Amino acid sequence: MNRQERLCKSAIETIGDTPLVELARLTARLDGRILAKLEYLNPGYSKKDRIARQIIEDAEADGRLKPGQTVVELTSGNTGTGLSIVCGIKGYPFVAVMSRGNSMERARMMRALGAEVVLVEQLPGSKPGQVSGGDLELVEQETRRIAAQRQAFRADQFHLSGNFRAHYLHTGPEILRQSGGGIEAFCDFVGTGGSFAGCAAAFKEFNPSIACYIVEPEGAAVLAGEPASAPNHRIQGGGYAMTDLPLLRPEHIDGYLKVADGAAIQMARRLAREEGIFAGFSSGANVAAAIHLLQTSLRGKTVAVLLCDSGLKYLSTDLWE
Ligand SMILES: Cc1ncc(COP(=O)(O)O)c(C=O)c1O
């Protein structure tokens, strides 16, 4: 029985089983379909609730996390929100470490959910709203310091398999079920790479010919082998210009796509106006990349994308005019 059909014992049980929607208006003049997974309908308004639940429950199951132990993680806000929900319900104090460059509604939301939020200043020259790999390195150092000081469990989203497993066990199979196995491609804007890796593994296991593309910001397409000429892009939640993403499996990557800030922003606005879907920058990037595929190499095909988080998380930015 899925969560719509039963009484849930807590908000944790409401994570996942999100709807899959065909973006029929955005693709009206194109040959092909885009199927969008509405991840912003999770309780913390992002796909990262899934990995928060998986990482914590995996660590509970094998004893790495003890009752009442503090949990710490570096976050651009979404993983932290998921962890705030899961840890709050399960009784683990949670410390979220975030760059000051991320939008502030995220910090306020985590605090409202009971988390302690530590904000880390950006590098000199970095701009608010543009978190670079260098900014993230400072957040990493602070996260390590706090984890050691408090003997905390590090919910390490860049390394722990729970990040992969959440999407391999749930997001990917849900898309396959909801589409009747009818997808031919998948493209995903990468932060830790957990969503891409988990979904791609599930898709390839079902049908190895489902083509899986990594989406990166123009100017920071390092996974595609380009130099990071403009690492301070606007697409929050990923594109950190990090070449070493341990969760990615090279054999599942069929290609790389680039999206400019302006294209991601324009597509997020079109999603809102034309499809009634209020999502963030990276969701816009995913749809822009999918449209590019339908216009070029994948005419007539069906492409799946994740709509990673809610547009409400960016009300303080100029995403919305
Ligand atoms: C809004 C948003 N989009 C995309 C991503 C990237 O997802 P992943 O870390 O699974 O690659 C994140 C990750 O934090 C995110 O918060």
Side-chain angles (χ1 to χ4, degrees), residues 117-189:
V117 180
V118 175
L119 293 175
V120 178
E121 295 302 330
Q122 292 182 271
L123 285 170
S126 288
K127 290 193 193 136
Q130 301 182 357
V131 178
S132 68
D135 293 324
L136 206 65
E137 185 47 39
L138 296 180
V139 184
E140 170 65 25
Q141 286 166 16
E142 181 63 4
T143 308
R144 281 198 198 144
R145 195 190 63 75
I146 294 172
Q149 185 190 48
R150 306 209 192 171
Q151 297 185 322
F153 170 72
R154 173 87 195 266
D156 186 347
Q157 55 173 328
F158 278 90
H159 294 93
L160 291 180
S161 64
N163 184 359
F164 167 87
R165 280 160 47 76
H167 300 292
Y168 173 68
L169 296 174
H170 302 289
T171 321
E174 286 171 25
I175 292 173
L176 290 171
R177 274 199 304 276
Q178 289 166 309
S179 65
I183 65 161
E184 289 152 305
F186 169 62
C187 58
D188 194 44
F189 179 74

Side-chain angles (χ1 to χ4, degrees), residues 46-48 51 75-79 106 157-158 163 167 188-197 235-240 245 247-248 280-283 286 306-310 313-314:
S46 94
K47 63 180 182 177
K48 292 290 189 165
I51 75 158
T75 175
S76 65
N78 282 332
T79 302
R106 294 161 180 241
Q157 55 173 328
F158 278 90
N163 184 359
H167 300 292
D188 194 44
F189 179 74
V190 163
T192 63
S195 311
F196 177 89
I235 310 172
Q236 293 188 35
Y240 299 122
L245 294 176
L247 298 176
L248 287 181
F281 289 95
S282 64
S283 306
N286 284 341
L306 305 182
L307 299 189
C308 312
D309 69 354
S310 169
K313 301 201 178 206
Y314 306 95

